[in-house]
Amino acid sequence: MKSIILDYFIEIPHKNLIEVVVIDDVPYKEMQKTKETYIPTKSKESEIQGINIKTKYYQ
């Protein structure tokens, strides 16, 4: 058993694909300076035991 870091599922997980959203922790002082955007800041794909995990990171 392995844990997956996530805040939200993008879609209902399938047996071969899990799509998740992770909210990046940004220090409060930096967050005040940063303009809010609703597009991913980065994304990552990985595979665990034949299951593809697509992660999108947001601020």
Side-chain angles (χ1 to χ4, degrees), residues 25-36:
D25 289 330
V26 178
Y28 183 72
K29 288 183 180 181
E30 286 183 34
M31 188 172 64
Q32 287 181 321
K33 298 175 190 175
T34 306
K35 179 184 170 190
E36 285 189 28

Side-chain angles (χ1 to χ4, degrees), residues 1-56:
M1 178 182 280
K2 295 191 181 213
S3 62
I4 300 171
I5 297 172
L6 65 97
D7 290 310
Y8 303 100
F9 288 105
I10 295 174
E11 293 184 7
I12 297 172
H14 300 280
K15 66 179 183 175
N16 296 327
L17 177 64
I18 300 173
E19 293 183 273
V20 298
V21 170
V22 174
I23 308 298
D24 274 338
D25 289 330
V26 178
Y28 183 72
K29 288 183 180 181
E30 286 183 34
M31 188 172 64
Q32 287 181 321
K33 298 175 190 175
T34 306
K35 179 184 170 190
E36 285 189 28
T37 60
Y38 297 99
I39 57 173
T41 55
K42 61 183 175 180
S43 61
K44 176 183 166 186
E45 291 189 32
S46 59
E47 185 177 328
I48 298 175
Q49 297 177 351
I51 300 171
N52 293 321
I53 302 170
K54 294 183 178 181
T55 307
K56 292 183 180 180

